[in-house]
Amino acid sequence: MRAILLAAGEGLRLGAVTADRPKPMIEIAGRPILEHNVRLLASNGIEHLIINLHYRPEMVIQHFGDGAAFGVHITYSQEPTLLGTAGAVKKVADKLTDTFLVIYADNLTDCDLRRLLEFHRGKRGVGTIALFHRENATASGIAELDANDRVLRFVEKPKPEEVFSSWVNAGILAFEPAVLDWIPTDRASDFGREVLPAILAADQPLYGYRMSEGLWWVDSPEDLERTRRQFEG
């Protein structure tokens, strides 16, 4: 199976930290965040990776090459104009003929991807969103689940008065190829704002995997300092 790592972001909120590198290439514990994600996928037996690129793409290509040094095979999808989280996936649709993963590669996680995929296949839905419990849910997409873990509602970055759940999109998603039909071909598009709500509006089965594993955002200089302290001692 394949995994798509979304690594095109510049990370403007991090200021000078990303002046000379894309956000996923920020180092934590001696490795770029993106490398942590590549190694996580390899350790879970997922070896065919696609990395989308936009800002300073040469840094990623020089570091990873074809992926052989990391036990994987990497191809690159360059975006002169950003296509959004879903548009990036649509661009490589011809390579996605079986179950695939989408990883927001500027986060750190130790998610058990084998367990996530077992959950996804058992539910037999069009997709599964890994969900992380986060008290401040306004900076993320939030999901409401039923007793069977089926997603009933999904709202991207709700206002404080709109928050109905603390289960947020962890940026790890398992999809069947059928999800590609919900991504427009003529413009940039986003999973959280457009595609996931459209799937739910059509009453298609979408599930949430409630993570017990760790997830670390690096959205601000404060996030970066806190995460480095935790991982580097």
Side-chain angles (χ1 to χ4, degrees):
M1 65 175 299
R2 284 181 165 84
I4 302 168
L5 295 105
L6 302 180
E10 184 173 349
L12 291 173
R13 285 179 289 177
L14 286 158
V17 177
T18 55
D20 64 346
R21 67 193 58 225
K23 182 182 173 185
M25 292 301 289
I26 295 171
E27 289 195 2
I28 294 176
R31 293 173 178 166
I33 296 171
L34 181 55
E35 183 179 332
H36 286 282
N37 283 289
V38 168
R39 290 179 181 273
L40 176 69
L41 287 158
S43 70
N44 280 268
I46 301 163
E47 300 173 355
H48 293 275
L49 313 183
I50 303 167
I51 301 177
N52 83 320
L53 303 172
H54 172 71
Y55 175 64
R56 300 297 301 269
E58 72 282 355
M59 286 196 69
V60 176
I61 296 170
Q62 288 170 7
H63 186 86
F64 291 99
D66 64 3
F70 303 92
V72 296
H73 176 72
I74 296 175
T75 57
Y76 298 97
S77 176
Q78 300 213 33
E79 298 177 17
T81 301
L82 285 171
L83 298 174
T85 57
V89 173
K90 188 72 169 185
K91 186 173 186 288
V92 296
D94 61 316
K95 297 179 174 66
L96 306 174
T97 58
D98 202 348
T99 306
F100 64 94
L101 288 173
V102 177
I103 309 288
Y104 292 23
D106 55 0
N107 297 328
L108 277 175
T109 184
D110 58 2
C111 183
D112 186 337
L113 299 177
R114 286 190 173 96
R115 186 176 171 209
L116 167 64
L117 287 165
E118 182 181 0
F119 174 95
H120 169 71
R121 289 172 174 136
K123 293 297 186 182
R124 303 178 68 84
V126 68
T128 296
I129 312 166
L131 299 171
F132 184 78
H133 195 270
R134 188 180 193 183
E135 290 304 322
N136 178 14
T138 57
S140 308
I142 62 173
E144 178 186 0
L145 308 180
D146 68 12
N148 193 39
D149 293 318
R150 183 163 174 170
V151 180
L152 302 177
R153 281 193 290 169
F154 187 92
V155 175
E156 183 70 17
K157 293 184 173 61
K159 298 175 182 176
E161 64 272 18
E162 296 173 335
V163 173
F164 53 79
S165 170
S166 294
W167 287 105
V168 306
N169 179 7
I172 308 165
L173 306 103
F175 286 126
E176 297 304 311
V179 78
L180 299 168
D181 295 338
W182 299 95
I183 304 175
T185 58
D186 58 346
R187 57 183 173 81
S189 59
D190 181 75
F191 279 116
R193 295 192 182 280
E194 300 172 67
V195 177
L196 299 180
I199 290 170
L200 294 175
D203 200 30
Q204 294 298 301
L206 186 67
Y207 289 89
Y209 168 81
R210 303 182 210 231
M211 290 177 60
S212 57
E213 305 94 328
L215 182 72
W216 298 267
W217 281 272
V218 187
D219 291 337
S220 68
E222 294 76 20
D223 290 340
L224 177 58
E225 182 181 350
R226 182 174 58 251
T227 302
R228 279 180 168 161
R229 282 199 307 267
Q230 182 168 351
F231 278 82
E232 298 171 3

